[in-house]
Amino acid sequence: MKKFYIETFGCQMNVHDSEKVVGTLLARGYEQVEDTAEADLILYNTCSIRDKAEQKVFSRLTELKRHAKGKTFAVLGCVAQQEGERIFDRAPHVNLVCGSASYNQLPQLLARLESGERRVTGLSLDTDETFETPLTRRDNPHRAYITIIEGCNKSCAYCVVPFTRGPERSRTASSILEEAQQLAAAGYTEIQLLGQNVNSYVDPSNPSCDFASLLRQVACVKGIRRVRFTTSHPRDFGKSIVDAIDENPVLCNHVHLPVQSGSSSVLEAMRRLYTREEYLKRIEWLKRSPRNIAISTDIIVGFPGESEKDFEQTLRLLEEVEYDSIFSFKYSPRPNTPALSLDHQVPEEEKGRRLTILQEKQRGIQLRRNSELIGKVEEVLVEGFNQATGQWIGRTSQNKTLNFTTTSPGEGSLIGSYRLVRVTRAGPNSLVGESFN
Ligand code: SAH
Ligand code: SF4
Ligand code: F3S
């Protein structure tokens, strides 16, 4: 039996794509191994969002070059799509290069490799199909990803995604609901809907079914206790999404709404299609909700032309919104993107300085936000157990980690169950509590 090893870089879309690829390989009779030395086929599902991520795959390929004899190498995902056949020049031992828009063709591409072809590619972007497979092999037995929309139709000045994942393609609501029902029947209780921009979801078979309407339908699937979704683009984030969350507690009270910058002029240069004020309007909808909706965001510091004043506006925005968490990055110039040719690039050192200041400020805000939960009772889905501390690891609806002990120890594994936990302590990145049910 042929053995394969797969390593995944990048976002949840990539993690879920890998689950589909693993399912496809297992169905072809391959066996998964955890060590490259044992593998006949080595796959890297790659990310190219920042330069560092792209470099990782090339360093992996170089590390293994000496042991390449008899092995087949595959580069999948965003670096594959971006670099295409140039990957063969940089790493001649690679045999398969395939971008995510061509995964439908993976069985045929694998068959060609198995029959002795040395180099095969799947690089077409002009597809209107999505990659759906009943063979998906999910890693987590309780929380499942479902792709609802692939690709991206925006053109943010810094971003490679529109080039690496192609144009938007939505799945039909009926196939999404069918998958959710099957997952519920298999014991899954949490679903995470995925897309680069979930808000522009439209059912291709019924244009009146938008994202909010899909959310409402998924929340009604019997057996599903939690529904999350990511990522939302502020421009397409409508009030109807907040209304849906207000009405249905199955929809988790957490929204990830990437702002990128607090300065309207930087937002314009980034081609984000909204101003600081328009963004804050959406935040106001979220804050007015009777559910205590946690808000997280992505921020890029040091975009070309970002002045000290612009950066200060981002710092003020953090204070104003009081985010529950942020992902922050130094701007990384990327191939093919419009921002490459902009003047006034910010020096690396200055980007580093701004990132440190930003993260320091956010740490204080998170501690404050989390401290507000002390004394409150939260429902958690139990995800694991920490041997070192003797605590169970739970996740709240707000997507916060809540580590807890129980008053009746020795009752067997709680993993996968839902518990009520009283919060007793708060740190910037997690909460501590005690379960009493
Ligand atoms: N589709 C999502 C996520 C895109 S990638 C969205 O539009 O929000 C995730 C994050 O990576 C982005 O939100 C952005 O903050 C960051 N990112 C994207 N391109 C980048 C670049 N060239 N340099 C630094 N960070 C980048
Ligand atoms: Fe995901 Fe973006 Fe990286 Fe592609 S480039 S793997 S879409 S984070
Ligand atoms: Fe698209 Fe997001 Fe980029 S919406 S263009 S992927 S930042």
Side-chain angles (χ1 to χ4, degrees):
M1 192 192 281
K2 289 215 166 191
K3 296 180 175 172
F4 74 94
Y5 168 91
I6 187 166
E7 185 172 355
T8 306
F9 305 94
C11 62
Q12 285 139 321
M13 296 285 278
N14 259 18
V15 171
H16 186 39
D17 281 346
S18 287
E19 293 179 333
K20 299 184 203 175
V21 171
V22 168
T24 306
L25 286 164
L26 294 174
R28 285 190 75 78
Y30 284 79
E31 181 193 341
Q32 185 168 11
V33 294
E34 300 299 325
D35 184 355
T36 50
E38 284 176 49
D40 308 296
L41 169 63
I42 297 175
L43 306 108
Y44 294 115
N45 191 1
T46 62
C47 173
S48 83
I49 200 78
R50 283 167 291 275
D51 186 56
K52 247 196 208 145
E54 176 176 346
Q55 294 318 323
K56 260 189 212 152
V57 61
F58 288 106
S59 70
R60 286 288 195 287
L61 286 167
T62 314
E63 276 163 32
L64 288 183
K65 201 169 172 185
R66 282 183 300 127
H67 312 285
K69 220 167 177 251
K71 296 191 194 296
T72 302
F73 286 87
V75 178
L76 309 177
C78 292
V79 178
Q81 190 66 49
Q82 179 188 294
E83 294 300 305
E85 294 184 357
R86 284 195 297 267
I87 291 178
F88 296 135
D89 302 332
R90 287 175 77 174
H93 52 300
V94 170
N95 309 92
L96 168 78
V97 174
C98 184
S100 68
S102 303
Y103 288 162
N104 280 333
Q105 294 161 34
L106 266 183
Q108 293 90 306
L109 295 172
L110 288 166
R112 282 169 55 196
L113 284 180
E114 287 157 8
S115 69
E117 268 188 68
R118 226 192 84 58
R119 281 183 173 169
V120 298
T121 57
L123 293 169
S124 166
L125 272 184
D126 56 356
T127 170
D128 50 12
E129 283 171 45
T130 52
F131 180 42
E132 286 176 48
T133 168
L135 305 168
T136 306
R137 182 60 70 99
R138 290 184 161 83
D139 284 340
N140 183 312
H142 311 293
R143 184 185 51 220
Y145 294 130
I146 300 185
T147 311
I148 62 163
I149 178 168
E150 285 175 12
C152 178
N153 281 0
K154 297 281 188 291
S155 44
C156 308
Y158 50 80
C159 188
V160 289
V161 174
F163 309 103
T164 62
R165 288 189 170 266
E168 283 176 356
R169 290 95 69 199
S170 289
R171 266 174 79 180
T172 61
S174 60
S175 92
I176 295 167
L177 287 168
E178 196 182 317
E179 190 169 4
Q181 279 150 5
Q182 284 164 0
L183 289 166
Y188 289 89
T189 58
E190 181 174 317
I191 277 175
Q192 190 157 344
L193 305 175
L194 294 183
Q196 284 301 330
N197 179 0
V198 287
N199 307 137
S200 57
Y201 174 84
V202 187
D203 183 343
S205 65
N206 172 14
S208 67
C209 173
D210 63 2
F211 180 59
S213 142
L214 178 75
L215 270 182
R216 288 194 162 92
Q217 294 176 64
V218 177
C220 291
V221 172
K222 222 169 152 233
I224 298 302
R225 291 181 64 162
R226 282 185 173 180
V227 176
R228 301 184 186 279
F229 55 91
T230 195
T231 294
S232 289
H233 191 294
R235 157 81 170 224
D236 307 322
F237 186 87
K239 172 82 165 53
S240 56
I241 299 172
V242 187
D243 295 340
I245 296 175
D246 286 351
E247 284 159 29
N248 199 326
V250 168
L251 299 174
C252 285
N253 49 356
H254 170 222
V255 169
H256 183 63
L257 201 59
V259 66
Q260 314 300 357
S261 167
S263 150
S264 288
S265 65
V266 173
L267 288 172
E268 192 180 347
M270 286 177 164
R271 306 190 189 171
R272 282 294 284 182
L273 311 174
Y274 54 85
T275 61
R276 177 192 173 98
E277 290 67 35
E278 283 161 346
Y279 180 85
L280 284 171
K281 180 96 208 143
R282 277 128 185 102
I283 296 296
E284 201 183 307
W285 296 338
L286 291 165
K287 296 220 169 210
R288 284 222 186 115
S289 161
R291 313 254 330 257
N292 184 7
I293 301 179
I295 307 171
S296 57
T297 202
D298 293 345
I299 287 173
I300 298 177
V301 297
F303 186 76
E306 183 189 71
S307 66
E308 190 63 32
K309 271 215 168 89
D310 292 319
F311 175 61
E312 278 164 17
Q313 289 196 43
T314 301
L315 292 178
R316 273 206 300 279
L317 185 86
L318 291 196
E319 286 287 354
E320 215 169 306
V321 178
E322 290 204 287
Y323 289 107
D324 292 86
S325 70
I326 67 168
F327 298 91
S328 49
F329 315 99
K330 289 192 274 185
Y331 165 69
S332 167
R334 307 304 297 130
N336 309 317
T337 58
L340 262 189
S341 57
L342 291 177
D343 293 335
H344 309 295
Q345 299 278 335
V346 176
E348 267 319 290
E349 225 180 67
E350 178 59 17
K351 286 184 205 167
R353 188 188 72 88
R354 291 183 190 174
L355 191 68
T356 309
I357 295 173
L358 184 88
Q359 291 176 343
E360 199 48 46
K361 173 161 227 70
Q362 177 59 22
R363 204 180 142 79
I365 295 173
Q366 273 172 220
L367 185 59
R368 215 155 67 213
R369 282 287 292 159
N370 286 345
S371 301
E372 288 166 11
L373 294 172
I374 294 174
K376 298 224 156 66
V377 173
E378 295 281 325
E379 187 185 53
V380 297
L381 166 57
V382 186
E383 292 184 341
F385 182 72
N386 184 336
Q387 290 290 350
T389 60
Q391 289 171 323
W392 295 98
I393 306 163
R395 189 164 295 276
T396 68
S397 175
Q398 286 189 322
N399 205 31
K400 299 192 186 214
T401 301
L402 172 44
N403 301 305
F404 66 96
T405 45
T406 60
T407 42
S408 49
E411 52 183 323
S413 177
L414 304 181
I415 296 173
S417 68
Y418 287 79
R419 307 282 290 198
L420 291 176
V421 178
R422 186 179 305 283
V423 179
T424 52
R425 277 186 291 142
N429 298 311
S430 62
L431 305 162
V432 177
E434 226 167 71
S435 154
F436 53 84
N437 69 340

